[in-house]
Amino acid sequence: MNRYFALAMLAAGWIGVVSGATAREDMGGGLLGNLPMLKDFSAARQSSFDPSGGNADGRQDWPIQPGETRQMALIEGAGAITHIWVTIASDDPKHLKNLVLRMYWDGEENPSVESPIGDFFGLGHGKYYQYDCLPIQIGTSHALNCFWRMPFADGARVTVTNDGPVACGAFYYYVDYEQYKKPMANAAYFHAQYRQEYPCTPGQNYLFMEAKGRGHYVGCNLSIHNRADGWWGEGDDMIYVDGSEKPVLHGTGSEDYFCGAWCYGPAFSNPYFGCPLRGEHARNALWNVYRYHLADPVPFTTDIRVTIEHGHANDRNDDFSSVAYWYQTEPHVPFPPLPAPDERLPGEATVHSEAGATEAEELATAMGAEEVAVQPLGGFGDEWSNGSHLWFRPDAPKNYAIPVPPVGESDAGAYKVELWYTGAPDYGTCELWVNGEKAAAWDGYDAGGVVRRKIEFPITLKAGTNAMELRITGKNEASRGFMAGLDCYRISRM
C-alpha cells in the first residue's frame, strides 16, 4: 500500500473522531466517509500575508527583531486550531532553537505551549530534515506543518519570540482554525512543553513531562546527542499515573518505547512513530525519534509523570532534549523557565587527556583477571582521561597484583604519585600497597553518581622488582557493590 495513501486514510479517520462537526451516520465504512457530512463550524485563518497588497508575505518589510515577541494569531470566541504552517528565512544558523513558539488558551497568563520552534515541529538539534507523521509533517525546503487539534472555549493567542542575536528576515505562517458557535463539549486543552538535560542527570530518569489535573498524554519527540561511543538506548520508559509509586507503564528499552527495534536500521518515519534523524553509535552523533499515542493515549485523573532512563539503569550521560504533548483541563502547573538561548544546543563532547599521565587501561591485558576490563565513561562526562578507565568488578573483597616494570639503580628512591580514580554508588573501599606497605586508601562510594576523583601520596621504589597491589577491602554501608575504577596516574621524583 502506498504510504502516503495510508497516511491520508489514517488522517481521515483521526479527523473524523476529533472534529467539531456533528456526529455522522454510518457511511458504510468508507475511508473518507465523513467528508460529505455538513459542518457546523466556519473555517478561518490568520496568516502573515502582506496587508499592503504587496508580496512581502513573510513580512520581510517588518523583520522580527532580537528580543521581540510577534503575535501570530489572536482569536476570539470558541474554536479549535487545526493546522499551523511555518517557513523561515533567517541569517541566524540557530534560529530553530532561538525562535520560541507559545500558545495561550482562554486568556490564561501562562502558556500551555512553550518550545523552541524547531523542537515543537520535531526538528531537534536546530537542524532541518524531512519526515511525515500524522500530527507533524515537514515538507521539502523547510516547510513546517502541524495538525494537532487545539480547542479553546474563549479565545486563543499564538506568539513567536526571537531570542536570537539577529533579526529574523522572513517568517511566513498560516494559523488555520475552526470557529464554533459554542465550545466543544468535554474537550481538554492542548499542551506542549520543551525540556532538556545537557547531560542527563546521573542516577535519575530523564523527565519528559509532569502535569496535575485530568487529561491524557499523547506522545513526545526526543533528540539525543551522544557524549560517548556506543548505543544511547536500553533505557526503560516509565510512566507514573495518579500518584503511583511504581510505573503504571514500564517498558523494556528506549527504541522499544519509540516502536523501533535492535538499535534501529536506516532513518524512517511512520504515522505514529519514527526515527527521522539517525546518527551513528559514536561520540557526537545526533539522533531524533518520536512516538505519538494517537491510537493509545495515556489518561490521568490527578497527575502524571512520563520518564525514561538514559542508558540501562541510567548508565549513560548523553544530552537529551524533548517536547512532550498532552491534553488536560485547566489550570495547568506553570512550566519552568526555558534554558537561555546559548544553552539550548549541547557542546561538542571531547576526549580529555591528562598531561604527563599514564593510562591505567594500559594494564588491562597484563592484569589477567576476567573481571578487570576497560570501560568507556564518556557517557558520564568528559573528565576521564582518554574517555575510559580500568574497571574492577569483583563481587566480594579481592586483591589484584599491579604489574610494575623493573627499576634501575639510578631510578630507585622516593616518588610522588597522583592517582585519578572513579567513584560511584556501587564502588568499594580500596587500598594501594607497595612492597608490603600501605601507600594510600580511599572510599570509592559516591551517592551522587559516577564521578572522577584524585588522590596524592608518596611511595618508595627500590632497585629491581617492586610489588604493588590494589586491595578492594570492603565497602561503605551505603554502597551497593565492591567495584573500583582507576583512570590514570602520574609519577614524579620527590
Side-chain angles (χ1 to χ4, degrees), residues 309-450:
E309 296 174 321
H310 37 98
H312 172 67
N314 296 316
D315 67 355
R316 288 181 65 93
N317 276 29
D318 294 314
D319 298 321
F320 279 14
S321 56
S322 63
V323 175
Y325 309 85
W326 72 97
Y327 290 87
Q328 74 160 96
T329 55
E330 292 287 5
H332 67 275
V333 176
F335 301 160
L338 281 180
D342 58 358
E343 297 174 354
R344 293 176 194 164
L345 284 171
E348 182 179 6
T350 58
V351 179
H352 165 66
S353 179
E354 199 68 52
T358 301
E359 299 297 330
E361 304 93 278
E362 296 176 9
L363 302 170
T365 302
M367 294 294 294
E370 183 178 350
E371 72 271 18
V372 180
V374 176
Q375 181 191 26
L377 288 177
F380 295 99
D382 302 331
E383 301 96 318
W384 283 267
S385 185
N386 203 35
S388 58
H389 72 168
L390 186 64
W391 192 21
F392 298 81
R393 298 166 292 168
D395 54 12
K398 188 171 182 178
N399 298 345
Y400 296 91
I402 305 292
V404 181
V407 175
E409 291 285 348
S410 61
D411 293 326
Y415 286 84
K416 171 188 173 182
V417 177
E418 299 169 88
L419 174 67
W420 288 265
Y421 66 93
T422 302
D426 47 3
Y427 277 37
T429 52
C430 301
E431 297 175 354
L432 190 72
W433 287 65
V434 179
N435 295 327
E437 295 185 0
K438 184 167 67 174
W442 65 91
D443 186 348
Y445 172 73
D446 192 288
V450 181

Side-chain angles (χ1 to χ4, degrees), residues 94-101 114-127 129 131 136 138 144 148 192-196 198 206 220-224 288-290 292 320-325 338 344-345:
K94 300 178 181 179
H95 65 267
L96 288 177
K97 285 287 190 180
N98 287 337
L99 294 170
V100 177
L101 186 67
E114 184 175 53
S115 171
I117 197 164
D119 296 87
F120 176 82
F121 285 94
L123 299 176
H125 311 293
K127 294 184 175 296
Y129 39 88
Y131 75 98
I136 300 174
I138 307 301
L144 284 58
W148 290 110
Q193 182 189 19
Y194 173 84
R195 285 181 178 265
Q196 68 177 51
Y198 298 161
Y206 178 79
C220 67
N221 71 72
L222 173 66
S223 299
I224 306 99
N288 177 268
V289 290
Y290 65 85
Y292 297 128
F320 279 14
S321 56
S322 63
V323 175
Y325 309 85
L338 281 180
R344 293 176 194 164
L345 284 171

Side-chain angles (χ1 to χ4, degrees), residues 144-439:
L144 284 58
N145 292 271
C146 105
F147 295 90
W148 290 110
R149 181 165 291 269
M150 309 175 195
F152 47 91
D154 188 20
R157 183 163 65 99
V158 182
T159 69
V160 61
T161 299
N162 183 3
D163 285 346
V166 298
C168 178
F171 189 88
Y172 295 81
Y173 66 85
Y174 285 13
V175 177
D176 292 321
Y177 58 99
E178 297 173 354
Q179 198 87 59
Y180 305 150
K181 297 176 182 178
K182 59 182 181 179
M184 292 176 61
N186 202 35
Y189 292 86
F190 178 76
H191 291 72
Q193 182 189 19
Y194 173 84
R195 285 181 178 265
Q196 68 177 51
E197 286 187 4
Y198 298 161
C200 289
T201 304
Q204 179 177 305
N205 284 12
Y206 178 79
L207 178 66
F208 285 117
M209 60 82 70
E210 58 183 343
K212 294 185 182 298
R214 182 185 178 190
H216 43 280
Y217 166 69
V218 293
C220 67
N221 71 72
L222 173 66
S223 299
I224 306 99
H225 169 241
N226 278 4
R227 299 206 63 83
D229 293 344
W231 169 228
W232 59 265
E234 300 306 328
D236 294 354
D237 54 296
M238 302 180 190
I239 302 178
Y240 302 80
V241 178
D242 294 343
S244 61
E245 294 184 2
K246 294 183 178 180
V248 173
L249 287 81
H250 192 151
T252 58
S254 300
E255 79 271 41
D256 306 349
Y257 172 69
F258 289 99
C259 299
W262 303 114
C263 308
Y264 290 110
F268 69 97
S269 59
N270 286 333
Y272 300 151
F273 64 93
C275 177
L277 183 63
R278 202 277 190 192
E280 300 299 325
H281 301 301
R283 188 187 308 271
N284 291 311
L286 302 178
W287 293 68
N288 177 268
V289 290
Y290 65 85
R291 165 72 158 100
Y292 297 128
H293 294 262
L294 306 185
D296 57 342
V298 181
F300 55 95
T301 303
T302 60
D303 59 86
I304 188 171
R305 292 179 68 248
V306 181
T307 75
I308 196 167
E309 296 174 321
H310 37 98
H312 172 67
N314 296 316
D315 67 355
R316 288 181 65 93
N317 276 29
D318 294 314
D319 298 321
F320 279 14
S321 56
S322 63
V323 175
Y325 309 85
W326 72 97
Y327 290 87
Q328 74 160 96
T329 55
E330 292 287 5
H332 67 275
V333 176
F335 301 160
L338 281 180
D342 58 358
E343 297 174 354
R344 293 176 194 164
L345 284 171
E348 182 179 6
T350 58
V351 179
H352 165 66
S353 179
E354 199 68 52
T358 301
E359 299 297 330
E361 304 93 278
E362 296 176 9
L363 302 170
T365 302
M367 294 294 294
E370 183 178 350
E371 72 271 18
V372 180
V374 176
Q375 181 191 26
L377 288 177
F380 295 99
D382 302 331
E383 301 96 318
W384 283 267
S385 185
N386 203 35
S388 58
H389 72 168
L390 186 64
W391 192 21
F392 298 81
R393 298 166 292 168
D395 54 12
K398 188 171 182 178
N399 298 345
Y400 296 91
I402 305 292
V404 181
V407 175
E409 291 285 348
S410 61
D411 293 326
Y415 286 84
K416 171 188 173 182
V417 177
E418 299 169 88
L419 174 67
W420 288 265
Y421 66 93
T422 302
D426 47 3
Y427 277 37
T429 52
C430 301
E431 297 175 354
L432 190 72
W433 287 65
V434 179
N435 295 327
E437 295 185 0
K438 184 167 67 174

